């Protein structure tokens, strides 16, 4: 019950701060742009328009959703501490783990709602224009679900960063570093290693393991390979090929990326003096 109350408080704070509205409008506007522009040539090449949109939205999500998630969560704990409200919160009959989980859950609900509504509006607009096959709808639903999970994973990392520092500026710097590492630098470095290696030492198993260490890569591979209707149009979406990994494994790893940083945040918060 305490977790749900704290989560509801985070959602109310997001509504007051216009986070929900701003995030939903941003995702909807970008998704609609991709629908209106990206699906235009599909009638010529006989491609499934929604499958093409899924590929485009998945690529957009990798860059945008982690950034929004980190902006939501980087001051979850340290912000309360600087405002002097954290000690007051802990004076109530609420466990420290409930504070962490409640705040992360509330922020994940904000981002999940914005993702569902924003992407759903775009898919609805596309459905009014053309007929869409059932496999493409299944791929779109999986993309929306895993997009929310990707956001939750970065929210967990943002909460962890907010827990281990004592200043908002430091937490903000760590959040920017997390985004740069997982979204930009990781794949660039991996691609450089693969080019330099030329297949001599990096085996497929090693490559799969390395890709699983990045939630953005797990998300990308899942959405580009889980559905035949999407993988046809995905092409080369990033470094390496982890197609041998089944979708269930990729989904489980993405879920682990949601849980693991949150567990570390709980451990760190229990040891934190306020």
């Amino acid at each position: 019950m305490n977790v749900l109350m704290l989560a509801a408080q985070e959602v109310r704070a997001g509504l007051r701060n216009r986070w929900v509205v701003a995030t939903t409008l941003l995702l909807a506007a970008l998704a609609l742009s991709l629908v209106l522009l990206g699906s235009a040539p599909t009638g010529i090449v006989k491609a499934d328009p929604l499958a093409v949109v899924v590929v485009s939205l998945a690529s957009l999500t990798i860059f945008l959703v982690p950034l929004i998630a980190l902006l939501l969560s980087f001051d979850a704990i340290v912000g309360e501490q600087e405002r002097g409200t954290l000690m007051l919160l802990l004076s109530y009959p609420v466990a420290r783990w409930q504070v962490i989980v409640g705040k992360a859950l509330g922020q994940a609900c904000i981002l999940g709602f914005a993702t569902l509504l924003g992407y759903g509006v775009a898919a609805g607009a596309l459905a009014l224009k053309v007929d869409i096959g059932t496999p493409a709808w299944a791929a779109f639903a999986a993309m929306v679900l895993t997009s929310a999970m990707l956001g939750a994973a970065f929210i967990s990392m943002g909460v962890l960063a907010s827990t281990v520092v004592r200043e908002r500026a430091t937490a903000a710097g760590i959040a920017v570093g997390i985004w740069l590492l997982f979204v930009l630098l990781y794949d660039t470095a991996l691609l450089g290693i693969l080019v330099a290696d030329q297949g001599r030492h990096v085996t497929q198993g090693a490559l799969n393991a390395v890709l699983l260490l990045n939630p953005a890569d797990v998300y990308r591979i899942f959405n580009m390979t889980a559905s035949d209707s999407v993988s046809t149009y995905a092409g080369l979406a990033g470094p390496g090929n982890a197609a041998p990994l089944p979708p269930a494994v990729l989904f489980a790893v993405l879920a682990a990326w949601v849980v693991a940083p949150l567990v570390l945040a709980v451990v760190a918060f229990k040891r934190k003096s306020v």
Side-chain angles (χ1 to χ4, degrees), residues 9 19 26 29 67 75 85 88 94 110 114 118 143 154 175 189 196 201 203 207 212 215 224 230 241 256 272:
Q9 177 60 34
W19 262 111
L26 176 62
L67 181 60
D75 66 342
T85 56
L88 176 62
V94 55
I110 291 173
M143 187 271 296
F154 278 88
H201 301 98
T203 64
L207 177 60
L212 294 180
M224 299 305 176
V230 172
N241 173 26
K272 187 182 181 74

Side-chain angles (χ1 to χ4, degrees), residues 15-166:
L15 289 170
R16 288 197 302 269
N17 297 333
R18 304 294 190 269
W19 262 111
V20 177
V21 175
T23 303
T24 303
L25 290 178
L26 176 62
L27 292 177
L30 292 174
L32 280 171
S33 299
L34 289 175
V35 166
L36 297 177
L37 299 176
S39 63
T42 57
I44 300 174
V45 299
K46 305 300 181 182
D48 191 320
L50 186 57
V52 175
V53 168
V54 167
V55 175
S56 301
L57 283 179
S59 300
L60 170 70
T61 298
I62 289 175
F63 288 93
L64 188 60
V65 168
L67 181 60
I68 296 174
L70 290 166
L71 288 174
L72 272 171
S73 60
F74 80 92
D75 66 342
I77 300 300
V78 72
E80 295 267 11
Q81 188 173 13
E82 286 196 352
R83 290 189 294 270
T85 56
L86 182 58
M87 187 175 297
L88 176 62
L89 176 61
L90 293 177
S91 67
Y92 291 101
V94 55
R96 291 197 174 202
W97 71 267
Q98 292 175 328
V99 174
I100 295 292
V101 175
K103 284 183 170 292
L105 178 60
Q107 292 162 357
C109 287
I110 291 173
L111 188 52
F113 173 80
T115 302
L116 176 62
L117 188 58
Y119 288 0
V121 167
L126 183 62
L128 294 176
K129 295 173 54 180
V130 295
D131 292 329
I132 298 171
T134 301
W137 279 117
F140 180 81
M143 187 271 296
V144 173
L145 174 60
T146 52
S147 295
M149 291 177 65
L150 179 67
F154 278 88
I155 283 173
S156 295
M157 286 187 272
V159 172
L160 174 58
S162 183
T163 304
V164 299
V165 301
R166 292 190 172 275

Side-chain angles (χ1 to χ4, degrees), residues 185-204:
L185 301 180
Y186 193 94
D187 282 354
T188 302
L190 181 56
L191 184 59
I193 292 172
L194 292 176
V195 171
D197 183 71
Q198 294 292 319
R200 291 189 295 268
H201 301 98
V202 180
T203 64
Q204 182 67 57

